[in-house]
Amino acid sequence: MAEVLVLVEHAGGEVKKVTAELLTAAARLGTPAAVWAGPGIEAGQPRLAEFGAVKVYVADSPDFADYVVAPKAELLASLVASAAPAAVLVAGSAEGKEVAGRLSVMTGAGVLTDAVDVAAGPDGAALVSHANFGGAVNVHARVKSGLAIIALRPNAVAPEAAAGSAVLEPVSFEASDAARAARVVSREVAAKSARPDLQEAQIVVSGGRGTGSAEGFKVIEELADVVGAAVGASRAVTDAGWYPHAFQVGQTGKTVSPQLYAAVGISGAIQHRAGMQTSKTIIAINKDPEAPIFEIADFGVVGDLFTVVPQLIEEIGKKKQL
Ligand SMILES: Cc1cc2nc3c(=O)[nH]c(=O)nc-3n(C[C@H](O)[C@H](O)[C@H](O)COP(=O)(O)OP(=O)(O)OC[C@H]3O[C@@H](n4cnc5c(N)ncnc54)[C@H](O)[C@@H]3O)c2cc1C
């Protein structure tokens, strides 16, 4: 079986969860071969083996840290030329999508972004599912000619452990002058919240304009903390400055697909739904029984969030004590 290249997302040697999802999807199409750009493979190798990587191409070059995304695309392009893979899988993150676009230009391969599922079609080639128009339309797509580059939405495919040998294959790599055009001159480590990453979280609690103010939005954080969730927000909230833009969910924000999504005081505009509709279970709390969010909710509570959420927090607290 041909190899399927998976670009590993890692930080400080820690392999991000989406990589396990990519390896699981890759195994449906061929032999999963991870691609590790930068240092730290010693720490990451066991995790790649646990999720079925048969081989790991390791390019430990400082170029990946010194220059933005272009070197990663060049590395993949060189591996596409040498390994002739059946497909290339990257995370559907902002960076992953940029790598996919650049790789497509370099190789002439087709790109399928925001994939929510991947399967082998009748001819063995990748058949990719997308949830379009805010999830109202499910589309199956494939690249008709040549290699497929697939950007898979985090949390869309459940990672499955599968023992792989994760044999390391060093790759010598030096970025071209063109890829060195934009250099990273300094880095500022973002203050790390104790909450899970929004796009990787199993549970997301999001608040909308119904929270009324930055002060009112705190109830969303309280609920998130009792259930170990990430906090999300609608654009109405981030535009009002009640919560940072980095936490906006929707068409112009982050796309999430957790096991559980709670939309609190959010109307359910199509642009918000575009970022959360593929969540496995959706709970809505809204005082308006006609709010569109109820059309897609699995469970709904019609009521004032400032009455409902404190009760919910109290009940969850009681359950935890049992
Ligand atoms: C190009 C474009 C891109 C966009 N991208 C995004 C995006 O990425 N993400 C996004 O979210 N939006 C996006 N929007 C904006 C989107 O159209 C909506 O305006 C926005 O989602 C509304 O946010 P909301 O649901 O919080 O506010 P509203 O629509 O005002 O809804 C507030 C809800 O809270 C309820 N409510 C009020 N008080 C209470 C209470 N005390 N208790 C319970 N419920 C209460 C109301 O009944 C109402 O349903 C975009 C718009 C455009 C045009």
Side-chain angles (χ1 to χ4, degrees), residues 209 234-235 248-252 265 267 271-272 286-287 305:
R209 202 193 316 261
S234 72
R235 181 160 160 180
Q248 182 182 313
V249 171
Q251 185 184 315
T252 43
S267 60
Q271 295 89 355
H272 186 80
N286 198 301
K287 68 179 183 185
L305 71 92

Side-chain angles (χ1 to χ4, degrees), residues 142-229:
R142 52 177 296 176
V143 171
K144 280 172 72 180
S145 58
L147 177 74
I149 304 166
I150 301 164
L152 184 67
R153 190 180 282 190
N155 266 336
V157 168
E160 289 164 19
S165 43
V167 175
L168 302 186
E169 189 162 320
V171 179
S172 70
F173 174 78
E174 201 175 322
S176 70
D177 287 346
R180 290 175 170 170
R183 183 156 177 266
V184 178
V185 290
S186 71
R187 284 170 198 276
E188 198 173 315
V189 180
K192 189 143 171 64
S193 147
R195 300 190 184 105
D197 178 84
L198 177 57
Q199 286 187 286
E200 298 209 334
Q202 294 294 306
I203 308 176
V204 174
V205 177
S206 281
R209 202 193 316 261
T211 56
S213 63
E215 189 58 29
F217 195 84
K218 287 187 178 149
V219 76
I220 303 299
E221 292 187 306
E222 286 168 30
L223 177 56
D225 288 342
V226 290
V227 293

Side-chain angles (χ1 to χ4, degrees), residues 3 5 7 33-37 55 57-61 63-64 69-85 87-88 99 102-109 147 149 169-176 179:
E3 287 180 1
L5 300 181
L7 180 62
V35 179
W36 185 282
K55 186 191 280 182
Y57 292 105
V58 184
D60 185 358
S61 159
D63 284 344
F64 300 112
V69 295
K72 287 184 182 166
E74 284 192 348
L75 170 64
L76 285 173
S78 73
L79 290 171
V80 164
S82 60
V88 179
V99 169
R102 286 172 178 271
L103 181 60
S104 169
V105 171
M106 287 177 207
T107 59
L147 177 74
I149 304 166
E169 189 162 320
V171 179
S172 70
F173 174 78
E174 201 175 322
S176 70

Side-chain angles (χ1 to χ4, degrees), residues 108-150:
V111 185
L112 297 165
T113 58
D114 257 338
V116 294
D117 205 2
V118 176
D123 58 355
L127 193 58
V128 165
S129 304
H130 303 272
N132 285 358
F133 299 110
V137 178
N138 290 317
V139 174
H140 301 292
R142 52 177 296 176
V143 171
K144 280 172 72 180
S145 58
L147 177 74
I149 304 166
I150 301 164

Side-chain angles (χ1 to χ4, degrees), residues 263 266-268 272-273 276 282-284 286 291-297:
I266 292 177
S267 60
H272 186 80
R273 288 157 66 150
M276 47 65 74
I282 297 169
I283 297 177
N286 198 301
I293 193 73
F294 287 122
E295 291 166 15
I296 57 160

Side-chain angles (χ1 to χ4, degrees), residues 234-259:
S234 72
R235 181 160 160 180
V237 166
T238 58
D239 278 356
W242 301 345
Y243 214 66
H245 277 283
F247 296 90
Q248 182 182 313
V249 171
Q251 185 184 315
T252 43
K254 301 259 164 64
T255 301
V256 300
S257 201
Q259 292 297 321

